């Protein structure tokens, strides 16, 4: 299989990944970084250039929307396709994609010139699936940005293909590109009524066949610790070291319930950062569980540890703050499985086996589904996302576009 069916897919992807669109979790603006704004505005120009005259950037939420108008005289449900433009918390400046043609499925792929970083099938056994594929990798110094510029480029190819093939019947199709998915805030501002779709898909998944409609439920945990710092020479029974309290807090959590020790449907506590001095320390965690009741139990555990530590101190010194980030989209999708079945049928028609393993993470669709727009997640092709070992197959990206086209066809044929 080649990508000649979608001639701009890979050139567009390679052009987009070279543009730094990393989001900023410390920002209070929407979007979180001006570089995202510039890129989103660029996408508006490019959408209009290829024929979507209603393409617009919405200042109030940072989303770009556009419409492929219906080409039939009967009513069919309006589909939405969504992707995010920001990249994760890893170096995104100076992305220099490397092309590995006709990969043999077993060789070690050097990334940087020194050979310090490699893609080795011993470390990344998924490489064995890509015999004969053309792979796009990093040069070892940055992430690639396949998450989710693969999705952005694939949706653009869908638009171009449908406009070039008016014989393919379809109803209205809504397109959306948004910011700040990687910091978990972009979808908070998504305007479902304005988007005006009956159902949607995020094109933000990983390898071939991924079809995700069950995610973690998620919360953020911030632990603030107030110490009492005195000179070590007079510290006996006086000093209260905030760093030590932070260590005690961490050690009181279930030590085997961390990402590196859990799999499948097991939840976890994940320590993201620990900063401090004897006078003051802060710890930030994410908490994940597939069950809402499990998430609640983990939050109660986090509070109980703080309460226990405080009970042994001269005054309350450990404060926790928690907020829910998103919930398992199956709570919504269980009532809209026709949307899942449409994607399943599209994949089966293309001889792609759907992989419906619950995703140990979340997508914008997690939040958007709870806003009233059922939005499962489709594969976009990326592997090893969020770091220097990220790569994507050109052939898998083309197959992702094939799935989008097939979903559009089936939706029209069913009505």
């Amino acid at each position: 299989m080649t990508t000649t069916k979608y001639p701009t897919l890979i050139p567009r992807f390679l052009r987009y990944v070279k543009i730094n669109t990393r989001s900023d979790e410390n920002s209070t603006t929407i979007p979180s970084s001006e570089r995202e704004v510039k890129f989103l505005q660029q996408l508006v120009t490019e959408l209009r250039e290829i024929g979507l005259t209603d393409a617009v950037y919405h200042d109030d939420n940072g989303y770009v929307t556009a419409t492929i108008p219906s080409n039939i005289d009967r009513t069919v449900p309006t589909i939405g396709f969504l992707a995010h433009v920001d990249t994760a918390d890893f170096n995104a400046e100076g992305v220099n994609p490397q092309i590995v043609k006709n990969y043999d499925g077993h060789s070690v792929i050097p990334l940087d010139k020194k050979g310090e970083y490699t893609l080795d099938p011993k470390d990344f056994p998924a490489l064995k699936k890509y015999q004969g594929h053309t792979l796009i990798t990093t040069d070892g110094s940055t992430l690639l940005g396949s998450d989710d510029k693969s999705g952005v480029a694939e949706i653009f190819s869908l638009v171009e293909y449908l406009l070039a093939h008016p014989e393919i019947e379809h109803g209205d199709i809504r397109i959306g590109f948004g910011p700040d998915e990687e910091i978990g805030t972009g979808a908070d501002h998504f305007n479902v009524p304005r988007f005006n779709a009956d159902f949607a898909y995020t094109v933000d998944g990983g390898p071939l066949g991924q079809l995700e409609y069950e995610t973690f439920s998620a919360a953020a945990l911030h632990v603030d610790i107030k110490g009492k710092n005195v000179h070590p020479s007079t510290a006996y029974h006086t000093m209260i070291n905030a760093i030590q309290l932070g260590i005690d807090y961490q050690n009181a959590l279930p030590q085997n319930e961390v990402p590196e020790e859990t799999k499948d449907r097991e939840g976890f506590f994940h320590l993201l950062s620990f900063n401090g001095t004897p006078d003051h320390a802060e710890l930030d965690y994410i908490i994940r569980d597939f069950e809402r009741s499990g998430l609640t139990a983990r939050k109660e555990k986090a509070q109980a540890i703080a309460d226990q530590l405080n009970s042994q101190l001269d005054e309350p010194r450990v404060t926790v703050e928690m907020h829910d980030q998103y919930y398992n989209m199956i709570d919504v999708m269980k009532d809209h499985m026709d949307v899942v079945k449409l994607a399943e049928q599209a994949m089966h028609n293309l001889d792609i086996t759907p992989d419906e393993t619950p995703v140990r993470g979340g997508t914008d669709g997690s939040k958007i589904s709870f806003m009233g727009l059922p939005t499962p997640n489709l594969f976009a092709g990326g592997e090893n996302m969020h770091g220097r070992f990220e790569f994507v197959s050109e052939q898998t990206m083309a197959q992702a576009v094939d799935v989008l086209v097939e979903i559009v066809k089936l939706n029209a044929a069913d009505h």
Side-chain angles (χ1 to χ4, degrees), residues 219-223 249 269 283-287 302 320-323:
L221 164 64
H222 178 75
V223 183
Y249 187 93
F269 299 89
L283 297 82
D284 283 291
Y285 294 83
I286 58 173
I287 306 173
V320 298
E321 296 178 0
M322 290 176 277
H323 68 269

Side-chain angles (χ1 to χ4, degrees), residues 63 80-84 148 179 181 184 186-188 190 192 199-205 212-216 325-333 336 339 359 361-378:
Y63 272 82
F81 293 110
L82 298 160
H84 67 88
D148 184 30
E181 191 269 354
D188 291 340
F190 185 70
V192 169
F199 60 93
Y201 300 93
T202 48
V203 188
D204 188 24
E212 300 167 336
Y213 53 91
E214 185 170 5
T215 64
F216 272 139
Q325 296 172 305
Y326 57 84
Y327 300 116
N328 189 341
M329 72 163 72
I330 192 62
D331 294 344
V332 173
M333 292 308 307
H336 300 277
V339 179
V359 57
T363 71
D364 278 344
S366 303
K367 291 183 177 181
I368 294 171
S369 292
F370 279 91
M371 294 176 177
L373 182 65
T375 308
N377 190 35
L378 301 171

Side-chain angles (χ1 to χ4, degrees), residues 142-296:
T142 69
L143 50 63
L144 178 61
S146 176
D147 181 11
D148 184 30
K149 287 171 183 170
S150 285
V152 175
E154 288 156 7
I155 291 172
F156 260 90
S157 284
L158 167 71
V159 174
E160 291 176 314
Y161 190 79
L162 291 178
L163 293 179
H165 294 272
E167 72 278 8
I168 298 175
E169 294 188 341
H170 60 82
D172 285 340
I173 300 168
R174 292 286 282 160
I175 303 302
F177 301 119
D180 297 336
E181 191 269 354
E182 298 294 358
I183 59 174
T185 60
D188 291 340
H189 311 287
F190 185 70
N191 190 322
V192 169
R194 185 167 65 197
F195 193 60
N196 195 28
D198 294 298
F199 60 93
Y201 300 93
T202 48
V203 188
D204 188 24
L208 180 71
Q210 278 193 350
L211 171 55
E212 300 167 336
Y213 53 91
E214 185 170 5
T215 64
F216 272 139
S217 289
L221 164 64
H222 178 75
V223 183
D224 187 273
I225 302 174
K226 180 177 65 174
K228 182 192 292 185
N229 190 21
V230 298
H231 195 281
S233 67
T234 59
Y236 183 71
H237 286 181
T238 302
M239 176 185 284
I240 299 174
N241 191 326
I243 296 174
Q244 183 58 54
L245 281 177
I247 293 171
D248 294 342
Y249 187 93
Q250 165 63 17
N251 288 344
L253 288 168
Q255 296 300 292
N256 62 337
E257 296 181 15
V258 293
E260 59 268 36
E261 297 292 338
T262 52
K263 61 181 180 178
D264 301 329
R265 298 186 63 84
E266 299 168 336
F268 57 72
F269 299 89
H270 180 35
L271 178 60
L272 294 175
S273 67
F274 186 164
N275 299 289
T277 65
D279 186 64
H280 180 243
E282 294 180 285
L283 297 82
D284 283 291
Y285 294 83
I286 58 173
I287 306 173
R288 300 291 187 261
D289 203 287
F290 279 101
E291 303 300 329
R292 191 83 66 93
S293 59
L295 183 67
T296 297

Side-chain angles (χ1 to χ4, degrees), residues 103-139:
Y103 177 60
D104 61 18
H106 60 80
S107 294
V108 175
I109 301 172
L111 299 179
D112 61 314
K113 292 181 180 179
K114 294 182 179 179
E116 182 179 359
Y117 302 109
T118 64
L119 283 172
D120 190 331
K122 291 189 297 184
D123 300 321
F124 305 107
L127 284 164
K128 299 173 184 176
K129 300 184 298 184
Y130 292 100
Q131 183 176 359
H133 287 233
T134 296
L135 303 183
I136 304 171
T137 77
T138 77
D139 68 358

